[in-house]
Amino acid sequence: MPILVMKFGGTSVATLDRIRRAAKRVGVEVAKGYDVIVIVSAMAGKTNELVGLVEETSPLFDAREYDAVVSSGENVTAGLMALTLQEMDIPARSWQGWQVPLMTTSAHSAARIVDIPADNILRKFDEGMKVAVVAGFQGVSPEGRITTLGRGGSDTTAVAFAAAFDAERCDIYTDVDGVYTTDPRICEKARKLDKIAFEEMLELASLGAKVLQTRSVELAMRYNVKLRVLSSFEEQSDEAGTLVCDEEEIMELNAVSGVAHSRDEAKMTLISVADRPGIAAAIFMPLSEAGINVDMIVQNISEDGRTDMTFSCPTNQVARAEEALKKAKEAGEINFREIVTDSNVCKISVVGIGMRSHTGVAAKMFKALSDEGINIKVITTSEIKISVLIDRKYMELAVQALHDAFELDKAA
């Protein structure tokens, strides 16, 4: 039988009624002749509750026990889903990560998937099981301990299963009905995309779009897994949702497919740094060791052997970044006059594979922002993306202006 992977997020399984609704969707696919692997998240709010219990019990917790506790939410959902399917006379059973087994590294709370042997689940399919309900977000380390894949890890679990079992498709059910040209809460003209290329989705996910976890899109692109993003709360059809696929499956590529935004960004500048070979490494190595997620980097023109170095990072990492840089200065590894921080900026990006063959995208973007009186602080580009830092107060205006400028409300 062909295999289909279906993943249900926390809002889709938040109550018993919603679990029953999700189970009915699974039943429809079983009736079509699929063997189905269902990946489930914990019920909405449950993981946060479990994390809170761990932190209240042990502020300096053992990461191995943290994983044992927080992974239990998915186990509950998997059991309830399997029971619901059995009540519908559909042969189903639940699987915890160690039972599959989903083999991971030993990096607790941030484990990477190493292998998913298919034998155990395939044998049960051969024996008449129609649905394997697998607890997402979790696996087992070489030491035999429960591990978790990081927040949003159930998306990654689903794509990894689709790749391991050569599934026909991986359907991700969530509380939105697909991938939009931008956030519909900011721009009422936002349009749902029927298809989007893996590379575009990867950029949008990394730039602030919350529909899919970045690692799941990376896996899908690497193994060419067809992903479909759907709403659990709307009527379903074969054309529903957004298909994330190879660009060759998209007939006409727009110059820009979407506008992404990231609200909580900060701009940090080291004033008067020595302009010498190795200075960039001396600055960014301490930041890396402190776990700072550096994004946009700009170095100014050198004058009298000194230069300024600017970079962006999440606002909640500013204090750690400043501490790491000051320690590096005290140790004599770098020398700068001062650190200037602006925590009231946001990142706006336009993304599109069509940029490879269309000219004038940057000019149109900068003119649209200029027409609205929005000043650009930092610019970075890649082959399919242009990102800028602007004052946060202009975020919604910038998103709407760029959406209009590239006419994203119109289909290709």
Side-chain angles (χ1 to χ4, degrees):
M1 292 289 185
I3 290 177
L4 183 69
V5 174
M6 304 173 71
K7 182 262 177 177
F8 293 95
T11 54
S12 304
V13 292
T15 64
L16 289 178
D17 282 342
R18 290 187 180 181
I19 290 175
R20 292 187 191 104
R21 182 189 298 215
K24 288 178 182 177
R25 292 190 183 275
V26 176
V28 169
E29 302 300 340
V30 170
K32 292 178 182 177
Y34 288 106
D35 285 337
V36 181
I37 298 174
V38 175
I39 310 296
V40 292
S41 298
M43 299 168 83
K46 182 57 66 175
T47 301
N48 287 340
E49 178 186 331
L50 294 169
V51 169
L53 290 173
V54 170
E55 292 175 342
E56 186 177 339
T57 302
S58 176
L60 300 174
F61 52 76
D62 180 338
R64 295 166 297 184
E65 301 305 338
Y66 171 93
D67 278 359
V69 174
V70 300
S71 64
S72 64
E74 280 72 15
N75 297 341
V76 171
T77 311
L80 292 172
M81 177 67 79
L83 287 170
T84 303
L85 289 163
Q86 289 171 10
E87 287 295 305
M88 296 166 57
D89 294 325
I90 297 173
R93 62 155 283 189
S94 64
W95 298 76
Q96 296 179 18
W98 64 270
Q99 293 174 304
V100 175
L102 189 152
M103 307 300 300
T104 74
T105 61
S106 301
H108 287 274
S109 80
R112 311 286 291 190
I113 298 172
V114 175
D115 188 29
I116 304 178
D119 298 353
N120 286 343
I121 287 179
L122 289 178
R123 185 168 59 252
K124 289 298 181 182
F125 278 141
D126 289 340
E127 293 172 3
M129 178 184 71
K130 296 304 297 178
V131 182
V133 185
V134 180
F137 174 61
Q138 62 177 250
V140 60
S141 71
E143 297 78 24
R145 297 297 301 256
I146 293 170
T147 56
T148 61
L149 308 180
R151 298 306 290 264
S154 293
D155 283 352
T156 303
T157 305
V159 175
F161 268 85
F165 285 81
D166 195 24
E168 187 172 299
R169 195 178 64 249
C170 178
D171 287 347
I172 306 287
Y173 286 88
T174 181
D175 53 0
V176 297
D177 61 345
V179 180
Y180 279 73
T181 49
T182 195
D183 189 337
R185 294 168 298 182
I186 289 179
C187 181
E188 63 181 19
K189 294 181 181 178
R191 175 176 57 86
K192 184 174 72 67
L193 297 165
D194 294 327
K195 292 182 179 181
I196 187 170
F198 288 126
E199 288 182 77
E200 293 172 321
M201 189 66 245
L202 186 58
E203 289 283 10
L204 289 172
S206 67
L207 293 167
K210 307 297 185 185
V211 179
L212 288 170
Q213 190 209 39
T214 306
R215 279 169 62 192
S216 69
V217 184
E218 289 174 348
L219 267 180
M221 185 164 65
R222 186 185 311 163
Y223 294 103
N224 198 25
V225 172
K226 286 186 178 180
L227 275 177
R228 192 167 60 152
V229 180
L230 302 141
S231 170
S232 337
F233 309 115
E234 297 193 358
E235 291 300 318
Q236 188 174 331
S237 69
D238 291 338
E239 292 77 36
T242 299
L243 184 67
V244 188
C245 57
D246 193 277
E247 64 179 279
E248 294 175 359
E249 297 185 43
I250 302 175
M251 290 291 290
E252 191 69 35
L253 296 171
N254 285 337
V256 170
S257 295
V259 180
H261 67 276
S262 178
R263 183 187 303 272
D264 298 318
E265 297 285 328
K267 179 171 73 78
M268 303 185 69
T269 302
L270 297 186
I271 304 294
S272 189
V273 180
D275 189 9
R276 58 173 174 79
I279 188 60
I283 291 170
F284 293 107
M285 189 63 73
L287 293 173
S288 173
E289 291 171 352
I292 307 302
N293 184 21
V294 172
D295 183 18
M296 309 167 82
I297 301 172
V298 176
Q299 183 175 355
N300 289 348
I301 296 172
S302 177
E303 184 175 343
D304 297 327
R306 312 294 290 183
T307 187
D308 298 339
M309 187 77 76
T310 297
F311 62 91
S312 67
C313 70
T315 51
N316 62 4
Q317 296 181 5
V318 167
R320 276 193 291 137
E322 289 177 341
E323 183 181 4
L325 292 168
K326 287 173 182 175
K327 283 183 178 178
K329 182 179 181 180
E330 290 168 3
E333 297 167 6
I334 53 176
N335 183 22
F336 54 86
R337 191 169 73 235
E338 62 178 316
I339 303 174
V340 177
T341 300
D342 183 354
S343 296
N344 291 307
V345 297
C346 68
K347 180 170 60 180
I348 305 293
S349 309
V350 295
V351 174
I353 278 184
M355 287 188 198
R356 293 172 180 159
S357 55
H358 289 73
T359 60
V361 174
K364 182 180 285 190
M365 178 180 187
F366 300 153
K367 185 176 188 306
L369 295 175
S370 173
D371 288 347
E372 298 294 342
I374 299 172
N375 186 45
I376 297 171
K377 296 174 178 288
V378 179
I379 304 168
T380 60
T381 66
S382 73
E383 191 178 23
I384 66 167
K385 172 199 73 178
I386 303 171
S387 294
V388 297
L389 284 186
I390 63 172
D391 286 332
R392 189 176 300 154
K393 64 183 179 181
Y394 294 122
M395 186 187 76
E396 295 190 6
L397 176 61
V399 169
Q400 292 164 358
L402 292 172
H403 199 274
D404 288 344
F406 290 102
E407 299 182 321
L408 296 182
D409 56 321
K410 301 175 184 177

